[in-house]
Amino acid sequence: MTFSSPSVNPSRISPPFTEDVSPLPPDQDLSMVFDDFPTVLLDEDKSVLRPFIPENRREMMEYLSTSLNLSRLNAIHDSLWLAGRPIAARPLHHQRLLNRQLLPTQQFDLHLVWSDSRLFVKPLPDFLLSHHFWLEILGKDAELHKSAAGLLFSYFWLVRNEDDLRLAKDAHLMNSSIKFEEWKKFVHSTLPRLDPRSMSCLNKRFQYGELRANRLNTIYHLSPHTIPLTSFIRGYFYDYGRYKTFFSRNFAWTLTIFIYLQVILSAMQVGLGTDRLQKDGRVQDASVVFSVFSMILPAMVVGIALGVSLFLVVYNVTATIRFGNKVTGMRNSTSGSETEQIVAA
């Protein structure tokens, strides 16, 4: 398989494994690996589709730059200790033991991120098991090489025994034709080449294993100087389909506070009914202050919730209108150019 636009840079980074240890079937050449790629690509605004031609090197590099993009996590790398520990991710059989659902995702920066009972995992593409692909494509870009090596390395964490491999196949995370003995041979040969102690061959995201989605959201909310406004508002992982879900997750803790306040007020009421506390001026003053505070706090919380709700509605409506106008203008200009070309012809 050849490419329509070969690279002019002859320098290459060596693949992390030799050709003879690839777990892919021997008869699976590069053209069959290309079947693993998507049918179309989206433009930057995610509004225009175009066919994806893997044989075109420019399109291939564009796809890989998007598919292996970890820039969001790298931007907050110094704060990742809040979201996870610098240890290996737990294998798949242990994830199931924790009652976590394995959800495939093509968004690389969600790989090994967990939320509630869900663990997001990026499937291991066949091209990362192709020695020729590493040699011809990934070996010519240092950053892509590190990101791809990180994804491959993460599967050494996840798939450690035959049960893990079976779970990976059942969840459509790995090629179903890979046998465990072949995978074991591949891991034993590749792992030393990736330098698992220093991890210098990997993207720095893989200095950490599993990351908690809610803490990544907190890091984004508290780091507006490094994150765009949209990401600051939506957080790192925005999975709210309705405002009801948003408020139930972000304001449910206030119910606990209100219940606690109710218990304290009831206890004060009982205490003030006794002769001893009725004559204590300090208890009387504290009861007055706390009673006023208990009336003001709910009003403040409701006001904040209404303010946040109004802000989100205005922001989302404004952003939707602005984006719609942008896409409409772009499509109209494209349609006008095509019409002029047809008339000229």
Side-chain angles (χ1 to χ4, degrees):
M1 177 64 64
T2 59
F3 293 90
S4 60
S5 178
S7 174
V8 296
N9 185 4
S11 61
R12 294 177 181 175
I13 305 173
S14 299
F17 56 90
T18 57
E19 189 172 4
D20 60 310
V21 298
S22 173
L24 292 178
D27 58 342
Q28 186 165 351
D29 60 13
L30 195 57
S31 61
M32 297 177 65
V33 171
F34 280 175
D35 293 339
D36 200 35
F37 289 103
T39 57
V40 294
L41 292 179
L42 278 170
D43 68 350
E44 186 176 354
D45 293 328
K46 299 182 179 180
S47 59
V48 178
L49 286 172
R50 70 177 187 275
F52 175 42
I53 304 175
E55 293 82 0
N56 185 298
R57 184 177 292 275
R58 182 185 60 81
E59 290 195 5
M60 172 64 75
M61 300 307 292
E62 179 183 347
Y63 165 75
L64 291 175
S65 297
T66 302
S67 178
L68 300 176
N69 185 6
L70 290 171
S71 59
R72 291 202 305 163
L73 285 176
N74 290 336
I76 56 173
H77 179 77
D78 292 340
S79 302
L80 285 184
W81 61 272
L82 290 169
R85 294 191 294 168
I87 60 175
R90 285 165 284 200
L92 293 181
H93 76 271
H94 194 88
Q95 301 292 346
R96 293 303 301 269
L97 185 65
L98 297 175
N99 201 29
R100 288 180 180 170
Q101 182 183 8
L102 304 176
L103 294 181
T105 175
Q106 291 299 327
Q107 190 171 335
F108 193 22
D109 55 16
L110 287 181
H111 181 58
L112 299 184
V113 173
W114 64 274
S115 175
D116 299 327
S117 61
R118 301 171 297 172
L119 177 69
F120 303 102
V121 185
K122 182 177 175 64
L124 182 65
D126 287 348
F127 63 76
L128 289 190
L129 302 176
S130 168
H131 182 270
H132 185 64
F133 192 88
W134 281 88
L135 195 65
E136 295 296 328
I137 305 297
L138 296 172
K140 297 183 179 181
D141 188 300
E143 291 304 314
L144 282 180
H145 191 281
K146 286 187 174 183
S147 296
L151 177 56
L152 184 62
F153 180 79
S154 70
Y155 270 83
F156 298 167
W157 287 338
L158 297 174
V159 181
R160 305 185 196 179
N161 56 50
E162 200 161 359
D163 287 337
D164 295 327
L165 182 60
R166 177 179 55 80
L167 289 171
K169 292 179 180 179
D170 291 343
H172 305 288
L173 299 177
M174 294 179 63
N175 191 314
S176 59
S177 65
I178 296 176
K179 298 179 180 179
F180 183 69
E181 289 301 322
E182 297 169 346
W183 175 252
K184 182 189 296 186
K185 177 183 176 182
F186 176 74
V187 173
H188 287 175
S189 174
T190 306
L191 187 58
R193 294 169 175 259
L194 293 178
D195 193 4
R197 288 193 175 275
S198 70
M199 294 189 172
S200 58
C201 300
L202 313 178
N203 185 285
K204 59 183 180 181
R205 176 263 177 268
F206 292 98
Q207 295 174 12
Y208 296 85
E210 303 158 33
L211 300 174
R212 300 178 65 170
N214 61 339
R215 293 190 181 179
L216 289 174
N217 285 334
T218 301
I219 294 172
Y220 259 48
H221 292 319
L222 298 180
S223 305
H225 58 284
T226 59
I227 306 300
L229 178 61
T230 302
S231 298
F232 171 71
I233 294 173
R234 293 177 171 265
Y236 183 83
F237 177 56
Y238 189 82
D239 62 340
Y240 308 122
R242 297 179 297 173
Y243 289 113
K244 177 182 178 181
T245 306
F246 173 81
F247 284 106
S248 64
R249 291 190 181 181
N250 291 278
F251 289 91
W253 57 271
T254 58
L255 180 61
T256 304
I257 293 179
F258 292 155
I259 294 175
Y260 184 64
L261 291 176
Q262 182 63 36
V263 172
I264 295 178
L265 288 172
S266 299
M268 282 187 170
Q269 186 177 5
V270 173
L272 291 173
T274 63
D275 294 336
R276 181 176 180 179
L277 293 183
Q278 282 182 348
K279 300 176 182 179
D280 192 325
R282 293 174 299 177
V283 175
Q284 295 283 346
D285 294 339
S287 299
V288 172
V289 172
F290 196 79
S291 298
V292 174
F293 172 75
S294 299
M295 291 185 290
I296 294 177
L297 180 62
M300 290 177 58
V301 172
V302 171
I304 292 174
L306 290 176
V308 171
S309 178
L310 179 61
F311 173 77
L312 289 176
V313 170
V314 172
Y315 173 82
N316 288 329
V317 170
T318 303
T320 300
I321 294 174
R322 187 185 303 115
F323 181 75
N325 292 336
K326 178 180 178 181
V327 173
T328 301
M330 180 188 65
R331 289 175 177 172
N332 289 338
S333 62
T334 302
S335 176
S337 300
E338 292 178 352
T339 303
E340 291 178 359
Q341 293 176 1
I342 293 174
V343 173

